[in-house]
Amino acid sequence: MRYEITAPCGREGIVAGVAFTAGRALVEDPPAGALLFFRRHGYTVTPLDVPEPESVPIGFAADPDQAPAPAKPAPRARGKQRTDTKEE
């Protein structure tokens, strides 16, 4: 996955294994822990390869011919707990 990382100041050089030029770096598959480091230290991390959301809304069947699943029956009502005890 590709990321654009922007430094809080115009940093030049290598930070956490990523090369910056004029405060900006484009990186593909950054080193392990680098994104966490940048976020913790005030860098802006923007993913460039954002996956497209699914076109099927949540809660609807993908196939219009497919019938929806039947609703679950309501849970059974619990009876009252008996509290009256006979003492002799």
Side-chain angles (χ1 to χ4, degrees), residues 5-9 35-45:
I5 304 170
T6 306
C9 59
L35 296 179
L36 183 60
F37 172 84
F38 291 129
R39 287 183 178 122
R40 284 184 179 171
H41 290 88
Y43 290 72
T44 303
V45 178

Side-chain angles (χ1 to χ4, degrees), residues 10-83:
R11 180 173 285 280
E12 298 277 338
I14 297 176
V15 178
V18 177
F20 282 84
T21 304
R24 191 174 146 216
L26 295 173
V27 62
E28 186 169 333
D29 298 325
L35 296 179
L36 183 60
F37 172 84
F38 291 129
R39 287 183 178 122
R40 284 184 179 171
H41 290 88
Y43 290 72
T44 303
V45 178
T46 307
L48 299 177
D49 299 333
V50 179
E52 292 293 322
E54 296 217 11
S55 62
V56 178
I58 296 175
F60 292 94
D63 184 9
D65 296 330
Q66 182 182 2
K72 283 186 168 181
R76 289 179 23 169
R78 292 186 173 200
K80 283 185 154 181
Q81 296 290 329
R82 298 188 107 191
T83 58

